[in-house]
Amino acid sequence: MELPLGGRGLILSLIFLLLKLSTAEIPLSVHQVPTIVKQSYVQVAFPFDEYFQIECEAKGNPEPKFSWTKDDKPFDLSDPRIIAFNNSGTFRIPNEGHISHFQGKYRCFASNRLGTAISEEIEFIVPGVPKFPKEKIEPIDVEEGDSIVLPCNPPKGHPPLHIYWMNIELEHIEQDERVYMSQKGDLYFANVEEKDSRNDYCCFAAFPKLRTIVQKMPMKLTVNSLKHANDSSSSTEISNQANSIKQRKPKLLLPPAQIGSASSKTVLKGDTLLLECFAEGLPTPQIEWSKLGSELPKGRATIEIHEKTLKIENVSYQDRGNYRCTANNLLGKASHDFHVIVEEPPRWKKKPQSAVYSTGSNGILLCEAEGEPQPTIKWRVNGLPIENHPFPGDVMFPREISFTNLQPNHTAVYQCEASNIHGTILANANIDVVDVVPLIETKNEENYETVVGYSAFLHCEYFASPKATVVWEVADETHPLEGGRYHTHENGTLEIERTTEEDAGSYSCWVDNTMGKAVITANLDIRNATKLRVFPKNPRIPKSHVLELYCESQCDSHLKHSLKLSWSKDGEAFEMNGTEDGRIVIDGANLTISNISGEDQGIYSCSAQTALDSTSEKTQVTVLGVPDPPRNLLLSERQNRSVRLSWEAGDDHNSKISEYIVEFEGNREEPGKWEELTRVRGEETDVVLPLAPYVRYQFRVTAVNEVGKSHSSQPSDHHETPPAAPDKNPHNIRVQASQPKEMIIKWEPLKSMEQNGPGLEYRVSWKPQGAPEEWEEETVTNHTLRVMTPTVYAPYDVQVQAINQLGSGPEPQPVTLYSGEDYPSTAPVIHRVDVMNSTLVKVTWSSIPKETVHGLLRGYQINWWKTKSLLDGRTHPKEVNILRFSGQRNSGMVPSLEPFSEFHLTVLAYNSKGAGPESEPYIFQTPEGVPEQPSFLKVIKVDKDTATLSWGLPKKLNGNLTGYLLQYQIINDTYELGELNEINVTTPSKSSWHLSNLNATTKYKFYLKACTSRGCGKPISEEGATLGEGKYAGLYDDISTQGWFIGLMCAIALLTLILLTVCFVKRNRGGKYSVKEKEDLHPDPEVQSAKDETFGEYSDSDEKPLKGSLRSLNRNMQPTESADSLVQYGEGDQSIFNEDGSFIGAYTGAKEKGSVESNGSSTATFPLRA
């Protein structure tokens, strides 16, 4: 039973798939038929090229030999006019003037003893130089309204061809609905006008690939106007006559009338279809296009050049059919039908494929082509018709050839050629019958690497015939790697899925067929996978802020050299370094975006690429903005005292709305001013608003989220409430009195929104408290009322009620106010003054009677002033100091007095009106105190074991000076201190001391205190060092008289002043002054702690200086006994009053009162110190 053709083909195809070996390239080391690897196609000989190269390259084993045919006839490569290349089919034709001889169609043949491959046809085109023929063109005369065609007839040349109509000045002839240039280049006039007359109509033909433009001889066109036919006629009559004669219905000029009302047009699939129509007539006809039976193809069909051309791009078989163009004017119409035929050059449906077979196997070659008309198939073998050179066992059909029991001598090249009227295509199929031991093409000991978790691919590319088996093994092991994570591909590659660190090592690839076996080794290294983290994760950034993203990467050390980071947003990569304007900056792992906006919101990815792996990490950036304003405000449920307001929320810009602020406008006193009325939770979009009477309300709403406030909404409609009596009375009723027995009653007036109606007034009522009298009252329009009373500082009940034209407010509540005060009329009596210590006394007095206070007693005031010093008996001008004690009391402490002085003191009472009379002055004296520190201490001379000290008197002795206490001890640059030595200087007038028996080359610290009978004051300190043995002894005796020494000392003094200024600035900034550091390193031996004669809690402390204190620099601080502060005893009123009690300025006694303590130490640096 004979199988049908289709069934036989299917069976042979299955056999072919089962028996055919891999179509991988045969190694050139194996004998094989030639294969053409490169060839030319169409070659155009442009005149400006130096040469023209026609290429044909092939491979094979044995090496192929080349031959050529031209126009199906042998072509000799030994022609001296061409240049051939060794071991190649390529030849070159120099452009030496005889190239037209070589125009034709060439074919290349590559042959060896196993077969012959042939190329597709190569067409060599030698274009001629296009020229318009020399001709005499007669002038053309036409009457106005006639139609005319100016022919171009361009010369032939290499396409593309572009045609232009211009005048002699190279200005384009304007085209419109009346004037049209056809695809062939002719210029058509539907009806001529007088303006069309000219003598320089020129047709230009441009051939861009030939770099050539040619021009036709100018043509002269004369349009005769009908108005010259009868000069005696009016222009209107002539125009009407012309219209009546020349008007006519359309007549098609394109396509020409002689071809009839229909024509056919053939176009190739994929090309562009161009149909054109042009009609003459008057008025100028309009062109319309249509496709009969369907619509014009959308997206590909366009009507161009004033509707004269229909253009369809990328034509398909669906575009076949009949198209119609119709020309219309007022007098009629004309049409033409185009029958469009779509054809196609041959194209492969099943292209024959080369294959390698082993001896005894079977195979099949398939060759099918499509086209319109249907292509014809021709078979060749080794370039010759197969009918003339068949192989035994070949079974041939029109579209297939089958082979059985193939033998090595069956090796050949088969050609399949498909042709129709539009072209020819050719394909070579190599049939190689080979039996070889497997050849492994991959290098032995190749090194591979991958990352953990990725697949590894170990290559073992091979060629084998007959078919071979591939087995991979771990080196030095014998079991094959199969199944699970291991997969061997057809090309021999081993894939290891989801690799781990344990997969590193060496592997063997074995390739085995019936001819033998081969093996190679591959080495695999496993690297750590690249990891990324992007910070911050899913940030929420307010608009206009700065977004900063950081991409943290972890990469295997072997891959760091190839690591590349990149950033993208929503899948679109950023430029390498960001944007040119600098708003987006990318610096490796850092991405910074300034002035962020809503457009910057999205998914940002950091991607890492290495030589082995790639990964990315994403973060969602949300840009927050203030909400859009609410919209569509609506008022409902309107009442006298309430209304419901509702609205629609705007876009929250990624941040939930937390609340709404409802504002109103309607204040009659401040029109246009918006005030907050209430706040509403963000989940709600309506609220019932409480309203006040007599207000014309308008509302607006503002949305709030975590970023900020939205713009306010558009205002709502107005809502006006009717007037009503006041709902409340004034508050904060108070009295202000400047005269005795006077009450100036004041209160907070009602705000505009509280008045509830027109005509607001205040009814003020008052009466003595507890009296049965009737209320006195008065109505006022402002918010103050002056009332005179019969007594001083008497209590009154006062009430204020609001009233307007619609009634009174609620019943007011009375408040108690007092009439105006007067000054106290009596003075306290001082009982005694107790001296507590040299700077502090306690004063005791008797209270004044209540009836003489004449108001509310605020307290008592002590005035005191120094009259003379007990040290020298010198009197002082009166400078009054004051100290106030609030409340009802009869004693107080007066601090900050000068020791060893005489004072006068008075006491007076005061109320809100002011102070009363003073008491009789009380005289008292303060005892001696300890002196202040000496004004200076200097080391004026040193030797190897002696030192001379000089000092100055304290600024304040605070008593009779009895002498000085001099102390000294050895110091060094550590915290270690030597034994403290003391010397009592009992002569008060002495101002220097000579110390002996000191250690040579030793640093000492000296302390000096001034003493009275009450004790010694604070020390002043200085440091110095003795000299070494025999060095500079006695140098100080006469050095101080030298001029250079005086200059040096001045320079040192200037530098010291600069240093003190710098330290002052540094200390005010919180810095630590170096002298203070030295004092901390070497503290004074005595700590002034008990503040000998004062209360510790009343004295300012050296431990807590005021901001900006110069405690380390000021040498003029007061001694401890006068360090009491007025603020600690009274109300801190430190003003100075004259004797009449009036204020005269700041407390001048500050220069005598106690101040912050200091030991006043300093360090003297000697130029000759050892």
Side-chain angles (χ1 to χ4, degrees):
M1 178 177 174
E2 187 177 358
L3 287 172
L5 179 62
R8 183 187 302 112
L10 177 62
I11 293 174
L12 291 175
S13 297
L14 293 173
I15 296 173
F16 170 72
L17 292 173
L18 290 172
L19 298 180
K20 191 182 76 166
L21 298 176
S22 170
T23 57
E25 232 176 77
I26 307 175
L28 271 178
S29 60
V30 178
H31 286 186
Q32 57 189 279
V33 295
T35 301
I36 292 179
V37 296
K38 186 179 183 182
Q39 73 156 89
S40 300
Y41 290 93
V42 177
Q43 179 83 346
V44 179
F46 295 115
F48 39 79
D49 291 334
E50 293 183 11
Y51 59 85
F52 314 104
Q53 187 162 295
I54 299 178
E55 295 181 320
C56 180
E57 303 292 342
K59 65 174 185 176
N61 187 357
E63 187 174 327
K65 305 294 183 182
F66 296 91
S67 61
W68 285 87
T69 62
K70 174 177 175 285
D71 299 327
D72 296 327
K73 295 179 181 179
F75 177 73
D76 188 3
L77 290 180
S78 63
D79 190 320
R81 293 173 295 180
I82 65 173
I83 301 172
F85 297 92
N86 294 330
N87 302 319
S88 171
T90 299
F91 65 92
R92 182 178 293 176
I93 305 172
N95 189 359
E96 296 177 349
H98 51 259
I99 57 174
S100 59
H101 171 76
F102 294 100
Q103 179 166 296
K105 295 182 179 180
Y106 292 80
R107 196 183 292 274
C108 172
F109 294 78
S111 304
N112 64 15
R113 63 181 178 80
L114 299 177
T116 301
I118 63 175
S119 70
E120 295 191 58
E121 268 190 345
I122 304 169
E123 185 175 7
F124 183 59
I125 301 172
V126 182
V129 178
K131 293 181 181 178
F132 278 104
K134 292 184 179 180
E135 56 182 336
K136 182 179 180 181
I137 302 176
E138 297 294 333
I140 302 174
D141 286 357
V142 292
E143 291 185 352
E144 186 176 4
D146 288 346
S147 66
I148 190 68
V149 180
L150 301 182
C152 179
N153 299 322
K156 293 183 179 180
H158 188 71
L161 166 64
H162 301 300
I163 300 176
Y164 309 94
W165 280 89
M166 294 186 284
N167 60 21
I168 201 67
E169 295 178 355
L170 300 182
E171 296 173 338
H172 285 274
I173 303 299
E174 185 177 354
Q175 299 183 41
D176 52 24
E177 295 180 347
R178 189 177 60 83
V179 182
Y180 169 73
M181 185 186 74
S182 70
Q183 299 297 318
K184 292 183 178 181
D186 298 335
L187 191 64
Y188 286 78
F189 293 81
N191 49 77
V192 294
E193 298 177 355
E194 190 175 358
K195 67 179 181 179
D196 297 326
S197 294
R198 63 186 319 126
N199 58 5
D200 57 353
Y201 282 94
C202 298
C203 179
F204 291 83
F207 300 88
K209 288 193 175 181
L210 297 178
R211 305 178 188 175
T212 300
I213 299 177
V214 292
Q215 175 192 343
K216 189 170 183 173
M217 295 296 292
M219 286 178 269
K220 181 179 181 181
L221 174 63
T222 303
V223 179
N224 298 315
S225 175
L226 293 179
K227 70 181 180 180
H228 300 299
N230 189 353
D231 292 337
S232 62
S233 302
S234 68
S235 60
T236 303
E237 292 173 349
I238 294 171
S239 178
N240 291 336
Q241 181 182 7
N243 287 339
S244 63
I245 294 174
K246 295 298 183 180
Q247 282 191 350
R248 60 196 181 278
K249 67 179 183 179
K251 179 183 176 182
L252 288 173
L253 300 179
L254 276 176
Q258 56 267 31
I259 70 173
S261 61
S263 62
S264 62
K265 175 77 172 180
T266 299
V267 62
L268 295 182
K269 182 183 177 185
D271 285 357
T272 298
L273 170 66
L274 288 173
L275 302 177
E276 58 181 349
C277 263
F278 185 81
E280 62 96 1
L282 189 68
T284 302
Q286 302 293 315
I287 304 295
E288 295 179 354
W289 290 93
S290 62
K291 183 178 182 182
L292 303 181
S294 64
E295 296 182 353
L296 295 175
K298 292 182 179 180
R300 294 186 295 113
T302 55
I303 298 174
E304 301 176 342
I305 315 178
H306 304 288
E307 286 73 42
K308 304 297 189 295
T309 303
L310 172 63
K311 179 180 179 181
I312 300 177
E313 297 179 331
N314 192 22
V315 170
S316 65
Y317 286 120
Q318 288 75 20
D319 297 323
R320 292 178 291 195
N322 294 316
Y323 294 80
R324 175 173 293 172
C325 76
T326 304
N328 297 281
N329 69 7
L330 298 175
L331 301 178
K333 62 181 179 179
S335 64
H336 185 89
D337 291 347
F338 297 89
H339 180 63
V340 174
I341 302 168
V342 179
E343 296 187 346
E344 184 181 9
R347 60 182 174 85
W348 293 118
K349 184 179 179 182
K350 291 182 181 178
K351 187 177 181 180
Q353 300 295 321
S354 299
V356 178
Y357 300 89
S358 60
T359 301
S361 60
N362 303 324
I364 187 172
L365 273 181
L366 301 177
C367 182
E368 293 186 27
E370 294 179 325
E372 186 66 33
Q374 178 64 39
T376 58
I377 301 294
K378 290 184 180 179
W379 287 95
R380 301 186 189 190
V381 61
N382 295 328
L384 301 174
I386 197 170
E387 297 85 5
N388 301 336
H389 302 277
F391 278 96
D394 287 359
V395 179
M396 291 182 293
F397 298 97
R399 292 178 178 79
E400 65 182 50
I401 299 176
S402 61
F403 317 110
T404 56
N405 192 24
L406 286 168
Q407 298 299 316
N409 61 1
H410 206 128
T411 297
V413 182
Y414 286 76
Q415 290 89 26
C416 178
E417 190 176 63
S419 305
N420 67 10
I421 59 174
H422 300 296
T424 299
I425 55 177
L426 179 141
N428 289 282
N430 298 346
I431 302 299
D432 288 287
V433 182
V434 179
D435 295 300
V436 294
V437 174
L439 298 174
I440 299 179
E441 299 178 71
T442 303
K443 290 182 181 179
N444 190 28
E445 294 292 344
E446 192 79 34
N447 295 315
Y448 300 90
E449 57 182 357
T450 189
V451 297
V452 174
Y454 278 60
S455 292
F457 294 90
L458 309 184
H459 300 301
C460 186
E461 295 183 4
Y462 69 95
F463 174 78
S465 180
K467 186 177 181 180
T469 58
V470 179
V471 175
W472 280 90
E473 300 173 351
V474 175
D476 301 329
E477 296 184 14
T478 57
H479 59 276
L481 299 174
E482 296 176 344
R485 297 186 298 118
Y486 303 100
H487 174 62
T488 303
H489 293 267
E490 289 187 4
N491 64 355
T493 297
L494 171 65
E495 178 182 359
I496 306 175
E497 299 175 349
R498 303 182 304 279
T499 55
T500 64
E501 293 181 356
E502 289 73 22
D503 292 322
S506 297
Y507 295 81
S508 298
C509 173
W510 292 87
V511 184
D512 185 7
N513 70 0
T514 56
M515 304 297 294
K517 63 174 61 178
V519 64
I520 62 168
T521 299
N523 303 309
L524 177 62
D525 290 318
I526 305 297
R527 310 300 185 195
N528 292 322
T530 304
K531 297 179 181 179
L532 296 178
R533 291 180 64 192
V534 176
F535 300 99
K537 192 68 174 176
N538 302 329
R540 294 164 59 85
I541 306 293
K543 193 178 294 184
S544 302
H545 284 218
V546 177
L547 169 65
E548 293 181 328
L549 297 178
Y550 174 68
C551 186
E552 180 184 82
S553 59
Q554 293 182 352
C555 180
D556 191 284
S557 59
H558 296 85
L559 302 177
K560 281 188 177 180
H561 68 281
S562 65
L563 175 64
K564 292 181 180 180
L565 297 177
S566 61
W567 288 91
S568 64
K569 174 183 174 288
D570 297 330
E572 187 172 339
F574 287 107
E575 294 294 331
M576 182 69 70
N577 298 317
T579 55
E580 292 183 0
D581 60 5
R583 193 180 74 87
I584 301 177
V585 177
I586 297 177
D587 181 12
N590 297 284
L591 169 64
T592 304
I593 303 179
S594 305
N595 192 24
I596 197 167
S597 66
E599 295 179 355
D600 297 313
Q601 178 169 300
I603 297 176
Y604 287 74
S605 296
C606 175
S607 300
Q609 180 78 45
T610 69
L612 296 182
D613 68 340
S614 62
T615 185
S616 64
E617 181 71 12
K618 298 178 180 179
T619 186
Q620 172 75 50
V621 174
T622 303
V623 178
L624 310 180
V626 297
D628 286 343
R631 56 185 183 271
N632 299 334
L633 271 63
L634 179 65
L635 296 177
S636 60
E637 302 178 20
R638 298 176 183 246
Q639 304 293 330
N640 290 346
R641 291 296 188 99
S642 68
V643 69
R644 180 177 293 277
L645 174 66
S646 59
W647 60 89
E648 294 179 10
D651 191 338
D652 63 7
H653 293 289
N654 302 315
S655 178
K656 185 179 179 182
I657 295 175
S658 57
E659 64 177 353
Y660 293 97
I661 302 174
V662 180
E663 297 176 298
F664 75 93
E665 185 272 330
N667 193 324
R668 297 178 187 272
E669 295 180 358
E670 299 178 282
K673 178 182 178 182
W674 291 88
E675 300 180 55
E676 183 176 325
L677 180 59
T678 188
R679 297 197 175 208
V680 182
R681 292 186 306 168
E683 298 82 11
E684 300 177 3
T685 55
D686 70 324
V687 62
V688 176
L689 301 174
L691 306 178
Y694 196 53
V695 179
R696 190 168 187 262
Y697 282 98
Q698 198 174 20
F699 305 99
R700 70 183 187 185
V701 183
T702 303
V704 181
N705 64 9
E706 62 180 299
V707 181
K709 295 180 180 180
S710 72
H711 291 298
S712 298
S713 68
Q714 291 296 318
S716 68
D717 295 337
H718 285 91
H719 176 70
E720 190 165 2
T721 55
D727 293 327
K728 61 186 296 185
N729 291 315
H731 66 284
N732 192 21
I733 302 170
R734 59 197 184 277
V735 68
Q736 176 180 321
S738 60
Q739 300 297 329
K741 304 180 183 180
E742 177 187 60
M743 278 199 308
I744 299 177
I745 304 171
K746 290 190 174 185
W747 58 89
E748 296 297 327
L750 294 185
K751 297 179 182 178
S752 174
M753 300 298 296
E754 300 171 337
Q755 296 176 11
N756 288 9
L760 178 70
E761 295 179 321
Y762 301 98
R763 183 185 294 129
V764 184
S765 305
W766 69 92
K767 69 173 182 175
Q769 192 174 60
E773 304 173 14
E774 293 293 326
W775 289 86
E776 296 184 65
E777 65 178 39
E778 188 173 338
T779 301
V780 295
T781 56
N782 56 12
H783 54 281
T784 182
L785 176 64
R786 181 173 182 268
V787 175
M788 294 304 296
T789 64
T791 55
V792 174
Y793 199 62
Y796 280 80
D797 288 332
V798 179
Q799 55 188 25
V800 181
Q801 185 178 31
I803 57 176
N804 63 18
Q805 293 179 5
L806 282 86
S808 303
E811 187 67 25
Q813 296 295 320
V815 297
T816 300
L817 301 179
Y818 286 82
S819 58
E821 298 181 60
D822 204 347
Y823 296 106
S825 58
T826 60
V829 176
I830 300 176
H831 292 313
R832 66 180 184 276
V833 174
D834 299 320
V835 178
M836 311 302 293
N837 59 39
S838 61
T839 63
L840 179 68
V841 298
K842 179 179 180 182
V843 183
T844 305
W845 63 87
S846 62
S847 300
I848 66 173
K850 184 176 181 181
E851 60 273 11
T852 64
V853 175
H854 302 307
L856 178 63
L857 180 67
R858 297 294 183 184
Y860 291 89
Q861 175 179 311
I862 297 178
N863 297 345
W864 76 93
W865 59 95
K866 180 178 177 180
T867 57
K868 67 178 179 180
S869 169
L870 299 180
L871 182 64
D872 55 11
R874 185 161 50 96
T875 60
H876 279 240
K878 186 176 182 181
E879 293 181 356
V880 179
N881 304 280
I882 67 172
L883 185 60
R884 281 189 167 184
F885 300 88
S886 61
Q888 182 63 265
R889 58 188 297 171
N890 57 10
S891 66
M893 306 286 280
V894 178
S896 302
L897 302 174
E898 286 191 32
F900 210 44
S901 300
E902 180 181 271
F903 291 89
H904 285 198
L905 179 147
T906 62
V907 181
L908 54 87
Y910 66 94
N911 59 16
S912 299
K913 179 70 174 175
E918 290 184 89
S919 67
E920 287 296 323
Y922 191 99
I923 301 173
F924 67 94
Q925 293 179 347
T926 54
E928 286 188 86
V930 296
E932 291 184 353
Q933 64 183 187
S935 58
F936 67 88
L937 174 64
K938 294 181 180 179
V939 182
I940 61 173
K941 182 180 179 182
V942 292
D943 209 329
K944 66 176 182 178
D945 58 355
T946 64
T948 302
L949 305 178
S950 175
W951 60 82
L953 285 171
K955 286 190 176 182
K956 288 187 177 181
L957 298 176
N958 296 334
N960 293 309
L961 194 65
T962 61
Y964 298 91
L965 177 63
L966 175 62
Q967 300 171 309
Y968 61 94
Q969 63 186 160
I970 296 174
I971 61 173
N972 53 32
D973 293 330
T974 68
Y975 288 98
E976 298 178 6
L977 298 173
E979 180 184 354
L980 188 66
N981 302 284
E982 291 188 358
I983 297 175
N984 283 309
V985 181
T986 57
T987 306
S989 60
K990 196 165 186 64
S991 61
S992 64
W993 194 266
H994 182 74
L995 292 174
S996 57
N997 298 322
L998 301 179
N999 296 336
T1001 319
T1002 304
K1003 190 174 183 180
Y1004 285 88
K1005 188 166 186 178
F1006 307 97
Y1007 311 93
L1008 183 70
K1009 301 177 185 179
C1011 304
T1012 65
S1013 60
R1014 293 298 301 274
C1016 297
K1018 293 179 61 177
I1020 185 172
S1021 64
E1022 179 63 287
E1023 293 179 5
T1026 55
L1027 300 179
E1029 291 288 340
K1031 292 184 179 180
Y1032 314 109
L1035 186 60
Y1036 282 101
D1037 290 336
D1038 56 2
I1039 196 171
S1040 61
T1041 62
Q1042 301 295 318
W1044 66 267
F1045 179 76
I1046 296 173
L1048 178 62
M1049 291 298 102
C1050 292
I1052 293 174
L1054 178 61
L1055 290 174
T1056 304
L1057 179 61
I1058 295 173
L1059 176 63
L1060 291 175
T1061 304
V1062 172
C1063 293
F1064 173 77
V1065 174
K1066 181 179 178 182
R1067 184 156 190 86
N1068 276 335
R1069 292 181 177 175
K1072 190 172 183 182
Y1073 180 47
S1074 59
V1075 173
K1076 175 62 179 172
E1077 293 172 355
K1078 188 166 291 187
E1079 291 171 354
D1080 292 341
L1081 184 65
H1082 308 299
D1084 289 340
E1086 296 183 9
V1087 178
Q1088 304 294 324
S1089 59
K1091 309 288 188 293
D1092 302 331
E1093 301 174 57
T1094 61
F1095 300 109
E1097 64 270 27
Y1098 294 139
S1099 174
D1100 287 334
S1101 171
D1102 179 48
E1103 301 301 323
K1104 297 181 180 179
L1106 298 176
K1107 183 178 182 181
S1109 169
L1110 305 182
R1111 59 177 180 152
S1112 298
L1113 304 177
N1114 194 339
R1115 303 297 186 199
N1116 301 318
M1117 297 301 180
Q1118 300 301 313
T1120 303
E1121 289 182 324
S1122 60
D1124 305 300
S1125 170
L1126 293 176
V1127 180
Q1128 303 295 329
Y1129 296 90
E1131 294 179 330
D1133 188 350
Q1134 301 175 21
S1135 302
I1136 296 177
F1137 288 75
N1138 288 332
E1139 292 186 20
D1140 60 358
S1142 62
F1143 176 74
I1144 63 171
Y1147 172 53
T1148 58
K1151 65 184 180 180
E1152 298 180 356
K1153 77 181 184 74
S1155 61
V1156 179
E1157 291 185 9
S1158 170
N1159 59 18
S1161 65
S1162 63
T1163 301
T1165 304
F1166 297 97
L1168 302 178
R1169 176 179 296 171

